[in-house]
Amino acid sequence: MTAIHIEPVPRCGPGVILAFVCDRTGLDAKHVGKIAFIGRGATVEIDPAKAAAAVKALDGAELNGRPVRVRFAGKADFTKPDHFSRLSQLLDLEAAAEEAEARQRAKDGTDRGDGTTLTALHLREAEFGLGGRLLLTFSRTNRAERLPPNRLGPGSPVVLSQTKVQRGLTLRGVVFDRQWTTIGVAVEPPDDELPDAAVWRLDLSADEVSRLRQQDALRRASAADGDRLAELRAVLLGEREPEFVPAPTPRPPPPPGEGEPDNQGLAPLATFRRPSGTPGDGSRGAAADGSQGRQPLAHSSGLNPPQLDAIAFALSAKDIAVVHGPPGTGKTTTVAELIRQAVARGDRVLACAASNHAVDNLLEKLLRLDLRPVRLGHPARVDPDLRERALDILAEKHPDARQARKVAKEAFARFRQADKWTKARPEPGEKAALRREARELLAEARKLEVLAIERILDDARVVCATLTGLDSELLGRRRYDLAVIDEAGQATEPACWLPLLRADKLVLAGDHCQLPPTVVSPEAAGKGLAVSLMERVVGLSGDRVARRLTVQYRMHAAIMGFPSAEFYDHELVADESVIGHRLCDLPGVRAEPLTESPVRFIDTAGASYDEELEEDTESRFNRQEAALAVKKVRGLLDAGVMQYQIAVITPYRAQVRLLRDLLADVPGVEVDSVDGFQGREEEAVVISLVRSNPEGAIGFLADTRRTNVALTRARRAVLVVGDSATLANDPFYARLLTYCEGIGAYSSVWEETD
């Protein structure tokens, strides 16, 4: 028998669950085995031949008036063992690696250091907010005492547990605020009052729900038969050619203030309206009309021909399309316009990305186009400036939710009355009756909240969410004409199958020539989990499914030249607004060699700038190279470049720590790893490559996509410090050195006198 899990289920017996399964699936009871209740859910054994159809029929169906989420539980055979079972095994490897890493962090860093645990916490405040959740604020006994360094930042999933008692209360929640002396956690309101004078601890929690959702998506994709998911699977596995129809005529944007009506009764977000002259994500100083010398296109809002071509191509796809957006080419702006065009022709769109930051970036651009997306996910994980579009916040403003809050307050008043008697002793059974009434009121309040959410989602033309934030319990049986995954090159493939469960067409947007998905397990990465669906599809189908954006609005032409040749087939073109801009063109910056040169490589070969190994982390650093990089940063500052216009990037965390220490007196200069700077840009970038050894070993610098990211963060100037004797053993870095020599941007450390 194959086990499926149904959640949430009401308090009931096995007969209710059996009737629900049989009624919704048409199965005879003989095809259903054991039924076990686990937490808020129930696990049901189903005939293996009927399991896939049962999950499809039950997921999103209503049980006692509330939609349920249904997934496979435990292990089972896949019908596509060569692909989906392999991805499932890689997910298990990744989960094991994450768990081991969490155990190590807990062991190495408690609340006395940089860890994932805080102990000896006391509850200071409790109030409702963030979509009806209970907001709990904790501090030390001495409220003025600072909390120790920790990794529990806003958006972190945590487990909150009561200590110093045998059976204390345990709650799951999300950090919504962290200050020097306090930390705030948003939780679902518990059925009982929180104990007074309790001592609590917080632990970073593994996101087990995300893993289960991905495993479920893989299983459904494997088992799909005769439906749209099966057709898309055939295309994505190369078993069927993708199909296209004639490209539609682009629709003009609505006049200002006449965008999609806001079904939640909110005022138009005029502050998010897209300004003119913003053709790309990072464009600055564009012409007032956004044309920048190109033929004006009235329907394009300043988009360039490659962007318009990519949009038309994506709209013409019946199955899948890829929008390949190299650095600075306005990929997310293009994706937002694609979504607007799709909505204008009547489509419902699921807009996703791997991270909350990427989803928020896309959400902001959609708001600028006067769309009214609904943002799924915990409000604590949403940018505060965009939080009013979060589903929970929208629901909170709904009339049904206002009534729900009144009922919930009455429920908690009953709980308090049951626990605190100030005068006469209660009659026997009176406390139990009050608690029972309180629970019934809470159930009524939750039904009203669910009704508000259902109405908002029914009206939404665009829903934004992280890939693993697509919750079947919320979305029910809703389907979408188009699913768009932004920053698809950074998403693991299992996560990308989640929107495919409920969409008729897929558009992947990103750049597989930049950093791949982050994978903790080296074994899982080596066996393919670090290969994104976008990278695999482009490798499988190439130009048949992809269109590349080629006009970039970020980099000086000399900065662009080497990445364009190495990664983008020499196709990138610098827009005239950036083609020759330099640091010395900025207000208040003096013209001198350091500010006049857009590219500079300083070679440390022969200077004994040897790398070192950090014992605790086995990360690498280079003291002399760090000192030289800092010297150049200070030179830029002396020339008039502002602190916030300079970034220092290095591939190694140990070098990041060293550079931050050396620049501690210049707080405005940002120092980060390559991973930390992906998707961002700065006027001047100083890069420290670190590696310098007699063996010529370059470690993970051999993944040249990291260097592509580092080089393309710069707008007006990039300065690279590295050892050619070590780096030139790799052909890529040999070509980088040759390129710098060819444009007069190479110098030896022995020539550095400033």
Side-chain angles (χ1 to χ4, degrees), residues 302-348:
L303 297 182
N304 61 50
Q307 291 171 324
L308 291 171
D309 177 60
I311 291 170
F313 178 75
L315 290 172
S316 73
K318 292 181 65 177
D319 308 299
I320 182 172
V322 173
V323 177
H324 182 192
T329 55
K331 168 188 57 61
T332 303
T333 296
T334 304
V335 169
E337 176 62 18
L338 164 65
I339 293 171
R340 189 193 70 79
Q341 295 278 357
V343 169
R345 68 180 191 177
D347 288 352
R348 290 166 63 88

Side-chain angles (χ1 to χ4, degrees), residues 110-133:
T110 65
D111 74 349
R112 294 182 296 275
D114 184 16
T116 58
T117 299
L118 289 175
T119 61
L121 297 173
H122 293 265
L123 180 61
R124 298 306 180 195
E125 294 179 3
E127 59 181 352
F128 285 98
L130 288 182
R133 289 174 176 81

Side-chain angles (χ1 to χ4, degrees), residues 35-59:
I35 298 175
F37 292 92
I38 303 173
R40 298 170 61 234
T43 298
V44 183
E45 292 183 345
I46 302 282
D47 183 332
K50 313 285 186 180
V55 170
K56 183 178 179 180
L58 293 171
D59 190 38

Side-chain angles (χ1 to χ4, degrees), residues 233-295:
R233 180 189 66 205
V235 174
L236 293 172
L237 295 183
E239 299 168 355
R240 182 172 72 83
E241 287 293 315
E243 297 181 15
F244 296 85
V245 297
T249 302
R251 294 173 180 261
E258 296 183 19
E260 181 185 346
D262 187 346
N263 295 306
Q264 285 74 54
L266 298 180
L269 298 177
T271 56
F272 284 110
R273 186 165 295 120
R274 182 181 180 185
S276 61
T278 312
D281 294 87
S283 63
R284 302 180 190 178
D289 63 355
S291 63
Q292 298 175 305
R294 294 179 299 278
Q295 182 179 358

